Amino acid sequence: MTESNYGWGLPTAASTFAKEIDFGIYLIHAAMFAIFILWGIFFVYLLIRYRARPGVAAKHEEHGILASLIPDFIVLAFELCLIFLYAIPSWSRIKVETPGAQDSLTVEVTAEQFAWDIHYPGPDGKFGRRDPALVHASNVLGLDPNDPSALDDIVTVNEMHIPLGRPTLMGLTSKDVIHSFFVPDFRIKQDAVPGMRIPVWFEPTKTGKFEIGCAQLCGFGHALMRGDVFVHAPKEFENWLVDQKPALNPTGK
Amino acid sequence: MADKKHSDHHQEQHWVWKYVFSVDHKVIGLQYLITSFLFLLFGFGLLMLLRWQLAYPGQPVPLFGRFLPEALAPGGVLMPHFYNALGAMHGTIMVFLGMVPLGVGGYGNYILPLQIGAPDMAFPRLNMMSYWVYVVGGILMLSSFFIPGGAAQSGWTSYPPLADISPGQTMWLVAMIFVITSSLLGSINFIVTTLNMRAQGMTLSKMPIFVWGQLVTAVLLLLAFPPLEAAAVLQVMDRVFGTSFYLPTGLVIFGQTLDVSGGGHPLLWQHLFWFLAHPEVYVLILPAIGIVAEIIANNTRKPLFGYKEIVASMLFLGVMSFLVWAHHMYLAGMSSKLSNFFLVTTLIISVPSVAILTCLILSLRGASIRYSVPMLFALAFLPLFGIGGLTGLPLGLTTTDIYLHDTYYVIGHFHYVVVTGSLIALMGGVYYWFPKWFGRRMDDFWGKVHFWGTVITMNGIFFPMFIQGLAGVQRRLYDPTAQAHNLPTQPLNVVSSVFAWLLFLAQIPFIWNFFYSMFKGKKSEENPWKATTLEWACPSPPPHGNFETPPKVYRGPYEYSVPGAKTDWTPQHVET
């Protein structure tokens, strides 16, 4: 399933805004290609046409300074269109505005050397208090057992399960150094910075398994820092959630 | 003249003062030139190992593997921390110990005083000091490989908290403080020299483009480096004295709470770093544009198209380069609304670059193009720098950067700018000014072998990176096969690596040609390229003090093929 997502071009587009980002990538590459080819033809023409030949002197006079500004203005106009018709509106939709928490699945994602810790609020819908001093191999996020809302919280490592059909709204942070949460299929990337909680959202459009990579150098295990997002049909996701044991009470006693 | 007076009163200078601790801008220029080329070769050499790991992850390095210490590469297989050190040191050495000292210290020192008709730099002793401070910084940087823990391994960008807690970083910071200090001393010298030491008649509007490029570069260095120096001092404080300028409260490293006071912020470093490092891009590119402009004007045998437009664009680039730094940080966690500002400035800054490139290409129109070896390099610069510039577009645009940021696309982009752009130009400059430096010419045949070998292999290395980037391959991965989405394009890593090794081989004719021609090359006339600018108005190599009589300047820098003139070049200093 995963292998087929990835090839030599862009991976499958599996989130609501993936197509929007791809549109920009394709448009810009088409424009780049056209500009390069046109300039290239003109360049090669000049190289051949004006090679040194005996008896033919170079022309001293200079003309067409104003005309030479035409490409500058074409580029400027194209870029202004890109900025105001494409980049700013789409950036606002993807990175500035976030969907409401009540319509979304809310999770807290904490990066560490070299893993992704995914924190679900559990049946009470409230995230428990976390304290760095309580971090331990059996309590990777430092959940506070004295906080009643922490008792039913669910924590998974390197496996993020989310439902199809509604957005996932994450709070992204890091325990130690800067990491970057990157899911190529969703076209989403965001640095995870210790001391900050950065909201990130996406809405999957396909069920399946999608790779999470780390995109910011985070130490000797950077290449091995990976995880998977599992997108389930809504019903299936509810079933998965019910099966999970609370992180502070894994045996369920 | 100065030389004669000097030797009348004193004995002949001891060789140590003449060639080692010299205050002559030409000797210092060549010292910079050769030192920085050696650093470039070394920094590139590190990459030979790194590219092996990328092409054949986990396999022992052939031939050289056995010479590597057991702690870094047991059985010849690179350890991840050594791989990270190679990456960090490659970037640092190439940028700060190679390209900047070459473009500014090397070319600027040698050529700039000659082109403005000055006997030397304004502050010769300061000039010598900046070279030796650079050497000390370089030695410290290289020696960091031998300290316990090894060299810095947090990337050339050294983002904290990782850089605050990784081994080797303190040495990197101290070395950087020396290198930055050297550049600062040099930049003051360049600005004063250009503004105060010009020959009679050399008004600003008659200065060659090369001089303009150096002047703008010097201003950028002067204004951009202090923030990095301050940032580096703060990072040293964090590492050595236990402060936490860059460390927030509550860090847990491998399950252990980090015992620091906290309250700092990791993004502070990024802002300070990129406030330098974006102008730095123009520090790398403006001297190169200057060289390309000189070579193109000379080899087209006509005035450069749009002199004023190029100068205005350079000045505009200089100013704008201070307003775009956070386009490296769209995804760093700073306010996402702030990104829109940097998006607009970033796309504005592309306009003067387009203008410069347009002028250089239009300079070919109506020309009589001489395909000399330096001209080949200058011409290759145009389309290849163009690719570098164009591929900056999807990275500068916020939305598309979400996907492409921190992928191989970025590596491909900036290597096209700095390597196939700047470095190609800086190599061409060697062929162009070699007769000036040594009074001899480099061999044309080996020059062409070097040119084609270099241009083809560079494209072979960097072009596949765009394809990898589009497939989502992240940067700085020790093992690119560890993640499923990186597997399909893994063969491209082999392609890049093979071309990287070939590029290394392609430098052999260059190195041989350089040293052979230095002693045995064909003797050159004083003005072999029939050029108009002032550096060709004095003997080659120029004596101490440069000009026998102070030159006077009568016209602009590129008066080629003037109608009615006897020859197709009319030098700046010749009164007609």
Side-chain angles (χ1 to χ4, degrees), chain A residues 126-227:
Chain A
K126 284 186 197 149
F127 289 98
R129 205 180 76 82
R130 288 153 53 174
D131 181 354
L134 297 173
V135 170
H136 184 263
S138 63
N139 185 4
V140 288
L141 289 175
L143 280 170
D144 184 354
N146 296 322
D147 178 10
S149 55
L151 296 174
D152 62 345
D153 286 11
I154 297 161
V155 176
T156 60
V157 177
N158 289 338
E159 278 191 18
M160 182 174 187
H161 293 262
I162 57 170
L164 193 69
R166 58 182 165 136
T168 295
L169 179 60
M170 337 182 327
L172 183 62
T173 188
S174 166
K175 272 188 202 177
D176 38 38
V177 301
I178 300 175
H179 303 269
S180 191
F181 181 87
F182 178 36
V183 182
D185 306 76
F186 296 164
R187 312 286 187 273
I188 190 67
K189 188 182 288 142
Q190 177 61 52
D191 283 7
V193 184
M196 293 181 84
R197 184 188 170 280
I198 301 166
V200 180
W201 77 275
F202 50 85
E203 184 179 339
T205 54
K206 286 186 169 85
T207 56
K209 178 176 151 191
F210 306 99
E211 190 163 51
I212 311 171
C214 177
Q216 186 68 266
L217 180 66
C218 57
F220 61 86
H222 172 51
L224 305 174
M225 181 160 171
R226 60 168 303 288

Side-chain angles (χ1 to χ4, degrees), chain B residues 25-221:
Chain B
H25 75 99
K26 300 181 290 294
V27 177
I28 297 172
L30 289 177
Q31 285 175 327
Y32 259 118
L33 197 95
I34 289 171
T35 318
S36 51
F37 263 122
L38 288 175
F39 274 121
L40 285 175
L41 197 67
F42 180 77
F44 183 44
L46 295 179
L47 208 68
M48 303 295 97
L49 292 175
L50 191 144
R51 289 268 19 147
W52 174 267
Q53 169 65 21
L54 284 174
Y56 306 105
Q59 293 184 35
V61 179
L63 305 172
F64 303 99
R66 71 185 72 175
F67 302 113
L68 296 170
E70 201 62 12
L72 304 178
V77 180
L78 305 190
M79 294 281 282
H81 67 85
F82 183 48
Y83 172 88
N84 285 348
L86 288 175
M89 295 302 276
H90 166 73
T92 306
I93 290 172
M94 295 313 253
V95 172
F96 294 108
L97 299 175
M99 295 298 287
V100 178
L102 178 58
V104 180
Y107 283 102
N109 249 312
Y110 202 111
I111 305 299
L112 182 136
L114 292 174
Q115 280 198 337
I116 61 172
D120 204 320
M121 294 287 277
F123 308 117
R125 282 189 180 81
L126 194 68
N127 202 16
M128 177 176 91
M129 185 171 158
S130 66
Y131 173 72
W132 287 104
V133 171
Y134 154 63
V135 170
V136 171
I139 291 170
L140 285 174
M141 192 64 84
L142 293 189
S143 57
S144 70
F145 275 107
F146 304 102
I147 57 170
Q153 40 195 263
S154 313
W156 77 285
T157 49
S158 293
Y159 280 10
L162 182 65
D164 267 18
I165 58 170
S166 297
Q169 187 68 20
T170 307
M171 195 70 156
W172 185 91
L173 290 163
V174 174
M176 280 303 291
I177 289 171
F178 274 92
V179 173
I180 296 167
T181 306
S182 154
S183 282
L184 283 176
L185 297 177
S187 66
I188 295 163
N189 212 345
F190 281 110
I191 295 169
V192 176
T193 306
T194 311
L195 295 181
N196 285 352
M197 307 269 293
R198 278 169 287 131
Q200 197 188 340
M202 178 64 89
T203 56
L204 288 176
S205 62
K206 291 195 175 72
M207 292 197 317
I209 295 292
F210 177 83
V211 178
W212 275 110
Q214 291 286 335
L215 179 62
V216 177
T217 301
V219 174
L220 295 187
L221 284 174

Side-chain angles (χ1 to χ4, degrees), chain A residues 29 47 79 90-91 189 211, chain B residues 336 371 399 403 405 409 485:
Chain A
H29 279 82
L47 292 184
E79 290 183 346
S90 57
W91 175 262
K189 188 182 288 142
E211 190 163 51
Chain B
S336 51
Y371 288 100
T399 313
Y403 181 67
H405 186 72
Y409 201 91
H485 73 274

Side-chain angles (χ1 to χ4, degrees), chain B residues 324-352:
Chain B
V324 299
W325 79 90
H327 68 207
H328 300 267
M329 299 172 57
Y330 289 151
L331 306 176
M334 67 172 195
S335 159
S336 51
K337 288 182 191 121
L338 199 56
S339 300
N340 289 334
F341 171 79
F342 290 100
L343 160 67
V344 174
T345 55
T346 299
L347 293 202
I348 288 175
I349 205 174
S350 67
V351 174

Side-chain angles (χ1 to χ4, degrees), chain B residues 435-447:
Chain B
K436 183 86 268 168
W437 299 335
F438 302 110
R440 291 174 188 273
R441 296 185 65 154
M442 287 175 83
D443 185 78
D444 273 358
F445 173 76
W446 289 112

Side-chain angles (χ1 to χ4, degrees), chain B residues 415-478:
Chain B
H415 279 90
Y416 262 96
V417 172
V418 176
V419 181
T420 64
S422 295
L423 188 56
I424 281 281
L426 294 169
M427 283 174 171
V430 171
Y431 289 94
Y432 184 63
W433 279 303
F434 192 88
K436 183 86 268 168
W437 299 335
F438 302 110
R440 291 174 188 273
R441 296 185 65 154
M442 287 175 83
D443 185 78
D444 273 358
F445 173 76
W446 289 112
K448 282 176 185 163
V449 171
H450 173 227
F451 170 76
W452 288 109
T454 301
V455 167
I456 292 168
T457 51
M458 279 178 176
N459 282 288
I461 301 169
F462 304 127
F463 202 82
M465 293 181 178
F466 294 130
I467 304 167
Q468 287 175 294
L470 287 169
V473 181
Q474 306 102 301
R475 299 173 65 179
R476 297 169 168 173
L477 294 177
Y478 164 71

Side-chain angles (χ1 to χ4, degrees), chain B residues 500-512:
Chain B
W501 299 321
L502 290 175
L503 176 60
F504 201 89
L505 294 181
Q507 303 317 303
I508 294 171
F510 180 50
I511 297 165
W512 183 82

